């Protein structure tokens, strides 16, 4: 199994509902350093599957839809807590949709699974991974 | 599959028995920077499964049972080499027992597997992972 | 010259005023991973100057005054942009005041200068350093 | 499942054929920081499976066969693009052959699978993993 | 003193002349992960001195003049070894010239000194720093 | 000013005397990941000052004099606490002596100052720097 990983980041404000969140119920924010792993069992004749240039651009475009936002005001998250886990899943779903829509071409169609990790500090991260 | 990762560390003395260990047969020590990954296939209504605050506290309590010790004197390791692999398994077992004992509540019961990694330097680490 | 460095982090929401900030004029947020360097030309008889345990606690208390806040609502920053540079200076000033107030004891009095670095992502940081 | 990871690096020149590579069609180069993960389900009586000392030496010898080379001139890669993915597979195959040839002894025979990751910058890497 | 740091990278081929370089006399290559620190004693009314957006773009443009090249063929380095030290100085000089030419505006004119660090692997780097 | 940095590590056992050290009075240990920065204002005709190969070997030899030891039993530290600060100074002094003794040749004689940093975990380090 081959894996290609690329890194980017985004910066958001949000708050959480539920006593379990303690002080994180107040409006605060985070930088998420994002690692995306694309996986495939084979390479094409060029010696790769997903082209790292377009893959990086697609990731950057998707993170741009979250960057510099207050997620409490985003319709996509209405009624939900935007935990690191939920955001990892959101980036996964949007990347999967882009790949399914052909945005990464033949290389994208070779992607069998994705793992999206959001690093929120030097001591914590959350990931979502799944098959396409 | 969702993964949540938290990081902490502990510092111990120990020695190894067996010629294969060369100079590490002498009493020396290590800092272990510990990454624990908790895995689950689903999130609860709050948008998470294991609560990162209590999970961090439980990990800190468990590492506190090893921190600032000479492992050669610890009954738990009598007659065994406390290699990085063995210590990764030890932290795994103690975390699994804490979760099994309900210490992390409903979120803990949602944990399906754990991976414990002990980073011993900038060039080496060992992990143990398994299902709960 | 001796330097001791400790690391912690905090997570905030904020926005910037001024067209130069582009999309960062919108409410967003950041995780700041904070490195504080304490510097002294000499050690005491114990073999250190600032005690790393209390120094870490003092840093944690000071960052707790910023953590999980919307800095746009904090009186301390009224009328100012809370750029990474400004926040590095704020942490520096509060640490310097704590040391000046004797919070770190004799070891604190031996501190000749401080450097405070706020890492805002994997590709950017800002620092403030100065003599006490 | 136990995993042991060791790190080393190598530095090469190469170029890629195919318009899809854009400016990387020109002769350029890379540092690859290499992480190898060895995996086994059990430990021996010493408390490990693969001995980290010889494993590190074997990895260093294998990377030495690539280090300080222009890969465009290496017969092993004739007619192929030496992408990060292809090189991860190459290191995997050479390590697998060394283990199969008994170079890591009984510990090597306990290795059930390998993962080889080549980090090419702070924002990109590629891996190949498989069973032995 | 305030410091702002940004990170980018470039990938090149080169060889060294002189027996002292051993196997590095052969054509090989490197990824350089570049950290640039801009320093100033004061901030403007916006709360910063150098604008991190344009600073990042200027650095990227300058590294683009080195990226994906065989430095042995670059007239700028004719007759010289392109060691990490020499390349750190080169990036410093080109950034200093860009700042001197007004490319970073008023914020650039506030920059009093620069430090350019080229990380060539996980175990080695070289820097050049100086006043403007 | 040019700086060249190299990294290596060592692993030791030790204990501290003095109530101020709390649980660290017990025999424990640490991994120290060591960064050494060599500084010079000029380069030689080869494009460097200190040769990174011999510099790395000298550092490795010096750390070998500490590695896999119980520092409580080392005559060099009799009656002293081997804090991270003291150990950073020790590595500095031994490197300075090696350079003074000509071990790094002409390049070593060009070294004007050194900085030695011992990283003891992901959240703490200590350094000693000085002129030669």
């Amino acid at each position: 199994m081959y894996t290609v990983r690329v890194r980017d980041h985004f910066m958001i404000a949000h708050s959480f509902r539920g006593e379990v969140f303690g002080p994180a119920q107040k409006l605060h924010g985070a930088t998420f350093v994002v690692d995306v792993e694309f996986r495939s069992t084979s390479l094409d004749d060029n010696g790769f599957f997903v082209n790292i240039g377009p893959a990086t651009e697609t990731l950057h475009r998707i993170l741009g839809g979250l960057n510099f936002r207050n997620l409490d005001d985003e319709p996509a998250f209405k009624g939900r807590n935007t935990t690191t886990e939920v955001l990892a899943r959101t980036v996964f779903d949007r990347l999967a949709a882009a790949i399914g829509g052909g945005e990464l071409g033949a290389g994208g169609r070779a992607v069998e699974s994705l793992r999206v990790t959001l690093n929120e500090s030097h001591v914590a991260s959350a990931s979502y991974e799944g098959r396409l």
Side-chain angles (χ1 to χ4, degrees), chain A:
Chain A
M1 175 67 72
Y2 292 94
T3 302
V4 170
R5 179 185 60 84
V6 296
R7 173 170 282 196
D8 200 343
H9 75 287
F10 66 102
M11 306 175 89
I12 54 86
H14 61 171
S15 63
F16 297 135
R17 286 165 310 144
E19 283 189 20
V20 68
F21 290 102
Q25 294 175 84
K26 293 188 288 186
L27 186 64
H28 63 288
T31 306
F32 292 109
V33 176
V34 182
D35 286 311
V36 176
E37 295 172 78
F38 302 89
R39 294 175 181 156
S40 177
T41 46
S42 60
L43 303 181
D44 66 15
D45 290 345
N46 286 312
F48 64 83
F49 59 108
V50 69
N51 193 334
I52 209 169
T56 299
E57 286 165 23
T58 292
L59 176 61
H60 194 68
R61 178 184 65 71
I62 286 170
L63 299 187
L66 298 166
N67 201 15
F68 294 127
R69 307 286 176 96
N70 176 2
L71 300 183
D72 294 355
D73 293 341
E74 293 292 304
F77 301 112
K78 193 173 172 58
R80 301 166 63 204
N81 281 319
T82 53
T83 60
T84 312
E85 293 87 333
V86 164
L87 293 172
R89 176 66 182 266
T90 300
V91 175
F92 175 94
D93 286 344
R94 294 181 182 183
L95 263 173
I99 290 170
E103 188 168 329
L104 294 181
R109 282 187 289 277
V111 177
E112 297 166 25
S113 63
L114 288 176
R115 179 174 179 158
V116 175
T117 300
L118 270 57
N119 299 283
E120 69 176 61
S121 74
H122 64 303
V123 291
S125 68
S127 305
Y128 183 76
E129 61 189 299
R131 297 188 63 79
L132 295 194

